[in-house]
Amino acid sequence: MTIGEMLGQSGILTLLGMCVVFSFLIIMIGCMNLLRIAVHAFKLDQETPKTESAAAPVAAVDEKAVVAAIATALHEKN
């Protein structure tokens, strides 16, 4: 096998590999578009409103209690 034949085969193999990757990317883009359409059709892209009970414990934290806990922890460390 001569150098020219090997370069020809390597060029063909390179083009074949690039075509495989390019076709896979096209298929993947098509699947992503179908998934986007399905999610929009089933209305899965809308967020559900959160309840007040989940946000209440965060809002009920007393800042003075947090400062007192930190001060106590620092005092016990020394």
Side-chain angles (χ1 to χ4, degrees):
M1 186 176 266
T2 65
I3 300 275
E5 291 174 346
M6 287 193 293
L7 286 174
Q9 283 184 351
S10 65
I12 290 172
L13 187 61
T14 300
L15 287 176
L16 181 63
M18 291 172 67
C19 288
V20 167
V21 170
F22 188 68
S23 61
F24 173 75
L25 289 174
I26 289 174
I27 291 169
M28 187 177 68
I29 290 171
C31 289
M32 294 298 287
N33 282 331
L34 288 175
L35 182 64
R36 178 184 52 88
I37 291 169
V39 165
H40 186 68
F42 291 118
K43 297 188 184 342
L44 297 174
D45 56 349
Q46 298 171 355
E47 292 186 19
T48 58
K50 296 186 179 184
T51 60
E52 292 295 324
S53 62
V58 176
V61 173
D62 187 17
E63 290 182 20
K64 291 181 181 179
V66 173
V67 172
I70 293 173
T72 304
L74 289 175
H75 180 68
E76 288 182 11
K77 185 178 180 182
N78 293 331

